[in-house]
Amino acid sequence: MDLWGFLSDKENSAARNFILSSVIWLALVVVVALVLAIKFNWPDFLSNVSWLSFGRLRPLHVNGALFGWLSMSNVGIMLYIVPRLTGVRLWSERLGNLTCLLWNLFLGFSAVTLLAGYTQGREYAEYILPIDFLLMLCLFLLLYNVFKTVLTRKEKVMYVSLWYFVGALVWTPFIYVVGNNFLMDLTGLGGRGPVSGINDAMLNWWYGHNLIAMWFGNLGLGIFYYFLPVLTRNALYSHRLSLIGFWTLAFFYVWNGQHHLIYGPGPDWLESVAIIFSVLMVIPVFAVVYNFFKTAQGKWHLLFQNSQEALPLKFLLIGGFAYFLTCMQGPLTNAPRTINAFFHFSYWIVGHAHLAFLGAFSFINMAAIYYVLPRVLKTPVSLRLANWHFGLFATGLMTFLGVLHSSAIIQGGLWTAKIQEYDFLTGATLWRPAVEHIEVVRSLQPFYFAIMIGASLMVVGILTFVINVLWTAYKAAGRQEAEV
Amino acid sequence: MYTALLLLILAASILCLGGIYYKRSVTFGLLVPGALLMIIIAFLSTAVLPSMEKIPSTPKGLPYTEKQLLGRKIYVREGCVYCHTQQVRPIKTDAGLGSVSQAGDYLYDYPHLLGTERTGPDLSHLGGKYEDQWHRNHLTNPRPKRPEEEGMPGKVPGSIMPAFSYLSGEEMDALIAYLQALR
């Protein structure tokens, strides 16, 4: 045993290790998610223990989902795709495996520190400095490995997926260093001087927003662009469109961060810039989505086919469709000022985030894993379990998202309901909330319950997936030993 | 300011169009510097430029005492920010919540605690609304758990806020001092 394969030099071993680690973190994250959903209904469930308090579990849930499940599976799938698009082996499989080991270490540390209450308190940027360093190290090792592979490639022309991968690896370290307050905390500039209060909030959302697109979005799209033609067995509809999509995304997306603070205390011109660019996002999204629908044309019936070949495609088609929905939701319902006024601070945003990360990117990565795993391990996955996974996950997700978005309408409506009062002394018109906040909480009770039901269905579906993947790996390991 | 902004947007547009028209594909040598340049331009215009604006001071933007700062740390540590905002917007949805937040209000806030979700109410103007004892009862457990707690100040039936009974006496005092400082 060479540390469970973490020092292996075998082809695809880094991809395999990243994928297997990612599903283990996924299992942890969804269990935490379920605990959180229960706490909304029974707030005294697992309370009185600081480590299991809502405010500690929530950052673990978000960061675990992003840096654990999504990042690791993204990287694993990328390490599988890059050799196939470059025509050479990964530059160093050993380095890849070492990165995976470090990545797991980083996640382990981060889970413990977050639960113990060590946090920087900024959403998506909670990790404390030492953990930031560890993540940066992982990113740089990955960057080095992938760039070396791309530079020694045999294929002359770089396929779209590679642009997205290289782009993600260039952008993410920059975003992380300047936006995470990594530099501010190291140099002590934060807290006083140029970065405090409102500037900290602007930087936080500059970072949070761009990390999502430039790391998760780009890797996700790279994976999507690779598997779309592979799984549909159709040629990519238009390379020109993908080129436009790539550069306009790189241009428009990074200006959007401030739309998280609309009507906030920041400069108004910045908000306007963010809103304009958010709406412009329709262009790159259209490029991707048009390409998607055109390439997938004639294959939608495979959604209903029950076979090993059609299995990954099912997930990919749903993922692509969810991508379309979530990307329309952004410019149409989140950015425009009047609609934002209604939905900001409500569960609409939570719904949007889950639609993107669970609906779009998790479905895409699950599709990729169902395709990659049997090839890397030379062992088929269980089709029956996979069908249960699909059914439970899709049903749960639709319930969850439907209820979450409806509850947001209740919230916005009740918050906006005002009683008008006329002050005879000053002649001023005053507005006073028509309902106390606690009434909003009480009227959301049935919604919280339904959300929990949807979440449970999803969690069972996802655990089926995890068991399927690990069981396949176990079978493959047994078979390999028998062969030796 | 606006000239700088327009110039930066222009530079990014040229890069973008250049990327699209230069070749049918993207080369590594074009991609890496192009990508880096684009993000640096965006960073300059949407993070650095706005930080250079002068922030007028406001009556709400006061430094915290030692004790309030400790309380603020506990507020951060316990994740109160995931359920509570500290930001009042100039729109009808927020009317009646108190004076509208201004940049100067946050002068001494690091990390910022503006928040993104209102599972619980906005806390911008909480200070002075309740007695300290109200907060102590509420934070220990917001719900009445025993019959004699019905109707006690700080017990809110139907609340879904977590109980923070594990906080030590000193931590609780500091947290309450911070909450009372939010005016």
Side-chain angles (χ1 to χ4, degrees), chain A residues 46-345:
Chain A
L46 292 184
S47 80
N48 293 341
V49 186
S50 63
W51 287 52
L52 298 176
S53 161
F54 181 92
R56 308 258 181 114
L57 286 175
R58 187 183 182 268
L60 178 63
H61 166 63
V62 173
N63 287 305
L66 295 182
F67 293 101
W69 149 243
L70 269 179
S71 291
M72 286 199 93
S73 57
N74 273 338
V75 172
I77 299 160
M78 172 172 76
L79 292 182
Y80 172 87
I81 294 177
V82 166
R84 272 136 199 100
L85 289 180
T86 50
V88 291
R89 274 192 63 172
L90 188 64
W91 182 70
S92 165
E93 205 73 46
R94 272 224 170 86
L95 183 64
N97 280 313
L98 179 75
T99 316
C100 181
L101 191 64
L102 280 175
W103 204 298
N104 279 310
L105 218 63
F106 140 70
L107 288 171
F109 279 139
S110 70
V112 174
T113 48
L114 283 179
L115 288 183
Y118 293 97
T119 166
Q120 292 189 328
R122 303 179 199 91
E123 249 178 288
Y124 296 112
E126 280 99 344
Y127 292 148
I128 51 173
L129 262 184
I131 293 178
D132 287 341
F133 270 113
L134 210 54
L135 177 56
M136 294 301 297
L137 178 67
C138 292
L139 277 180
F140 275 111
L141 292 180
L142 188 69
L143 179 149
Y144 191 73
N145 212 348
V146 170
F147 279 18
K148 276 282 191 191
T149 316
V150 172
L151 284 173
T152 53
R153 68 183 184 277
K154 288 215 193 77
E155 282 296 330
K156 267 269 140 7
V157 180
M158 282 169 57
Y159 180 67
V160 207
S161 299
L162 282 182
W163 317 340
Y164 278 106
F165 292 156
V166 171
L169 287 168
V170 172
W171 282 313
T172 312
F174 181 82
I175 292 169
Y176 203 86
V177 168
V178 299
N180 189 283
N181 282 17
F182 186 83
L183 278 185
M184 304 306 147
D185 289 341
L186 272 186
T187 54
L189 278 175
R192 50 195 164 82
V195 184
S196 78
I198 192 62
N199 293 332
D200 189 39
M202 290 191 293
L203 207 58
N204 185 178
W205 285 114
W206 188 85
Y207 156 81
H209 189 80
N210 288 337
L211 184 80
I212 286 163
M214 293 323 196
W215 177 241
F216 300 103
N218 278 356
L219 291 188
L221 279 183
I223 291 167
F224 186 64
Y225 265 120
Y226 177 79
F227 283 106
L228 188 59
V230 166
L231 293 178
T232 56
R233 305 238 172 89
N234 288 345
L236 186 65
Y237 172 70
S238 159
H239 278 278
R240 188 89 208 174
L241 262 185
S242 59
L243 189 69
I244 295 173
F246 178 78
W247 283 112
T248 46
L249 182 89
F251 179 18
F252 298 151
Y253 204 102
V254 286
W255 298 67
N256 286 358
Q258 191 69 9
H259 72 205
H260 290 256
L261 295 171
I262 292 176
Y263 285 121
D268 284 344
W269 64 263
L270 189 58
E271 275 171 28
S272 304
V273 167
I275 293 169
I276 293 169
F277 278 96
S278 303
V279 174
L280 279 174
M281 277 303 292
V282 169
I283 297 170
V285 168
F286 178 79
V288 172
V289 170
Y290 196 70
N291 236 344
F292 163 59
F293 281 116
K294 277 297 196 185
T295 309
Q297 213 168 33
K299 302 290 160 143
W300 286 88
H301 62 281
L302 290 178
L303 261 179
F304 307 101
Q305 204 179 76
N306 183 20
S307 69
Q308 288 277 2
E309 290 72 52
L311 175 65
L313 183 62
K314 270 197 229 186
F315 282 87
L316 194 81
L317 290 177
I318 300 285
F321 191 68
Y323 179 82
F324 167 61
L325 289 183
T326 196
C327 288
M328 284 296 125
Q329 201 186 9
L332 296 184
T333 72
N334 298 1
R337 275 204 171 93
T338 39
I339 311 178
N340 178 285
F342 190 79
F343 282 132
H344 199 48
F345 298 143

Side-chain angles (χ1 to χ4, degrees), chain A residues 10 34 43-44 52 84 88 121 136 162 168 196 224 254 304 356 380 392 395 433 435 439 453 456 481:
Chain A
K10 278 216 210 69
L34 193 56
D44 289 317
L52 298 176
R84 272 136 199 100
V88 291
M136 294 301 297
L162 282 182
S196 78
F224 186 64
V254 286
F304 307 101
L392 285 169
T395 320
V435 268
E439 292 305 329
I453 300 296
S456 323
E481 252 163 54

